[in-house]
Amino acid sequence: MKGFVVMLAVASLCGCGGGGGGSTTGPTNNGVNTPPPADGISVSNNMFTPGTKTIGVGTAVKWAWNSCTGDAYNGQTCVSHSVTFDDGTTSPTQDQGTYTRTFAVAGTYNYHCSQHGTAMSGTITVQ
Ligand SMILES: [Cu+2]
């Protein structure tokens, strides 16, 4: 007489984390803000950060728009800005995204926001 005892290994399904679904509070970031690039310039509401920058000839500078803020309705309010140089070179007037300019000639390049005037301005020194 033979008997087999079959042991069934019952895999216990992990019911991990008995906390259940989390809830989200506060404004949702829709992801349209662009984090300031390393060594770049942040375009936020009414200021460029940093406002002055010194670079070598041939260097590209990148501006990234961070001009959206959450509102109480899970939406966002975004404000348009531009990077407009005294020499006429300009970025689009936009409320998100980036703009890059490469400076091939030494000099002082003053710029401002076309929407907010010289109250929102910056300078790139190329040497
Ligand atoms: Cu502006």
Side-chain angles (χ1 to χ4, degrees):
M1 177 173 177
K2 293 196 245 183
F4 287 104
V5 176
V6 178
M7 299 287 291
L8 292 178
V10 178
S12 66
L13 298 175
C14 179
C16 303
S23 64
T24 301
T25 58
T28 299
N29 184 331
N30 294 326
V32 296
N33 277 326
T34 306
D39 209 28
I41 297 174
S42 178
V43 182
S44 55
N45 292 330
N46 300 320
M47 65 188 312
F48 297 103
T49 309
T52 61
K53 188 172 182 59
T54 300
I55 58 172
V57 172
T59 302
V61 176
K62 185 177 190 179
W63 285 259
W65 272 242
N66 290 275
S67 55
C68 295
T69 53
D71 64 26
Y73 306 98
N74 271 0
Q76 287 191 321
T77 299
C78 302
V79 180
S80 293
H81 303 286
S82 75
V83 175
T84 300
F85 290 89
D86 290 355
D87 68 8
T89 303
T90 187
S91 75
T93 298
Q94 58 190 12
D95 60 15
Q96 55 187 283
T98 64
Y99 170 70
T100 301
R101 180 177 179 182
T102 300
F103 297 86
V105 180
T108 300
Y109 296 80
N110 294 310
Y111 65 93
H112 64 277
C113 170
S114 65
Q115 306 302 296
H116 299 101
T118 54
M120 183 176 173
S121 61
T123 301
I124 304 293
T125 301
V126 183
Q127 58 187 20

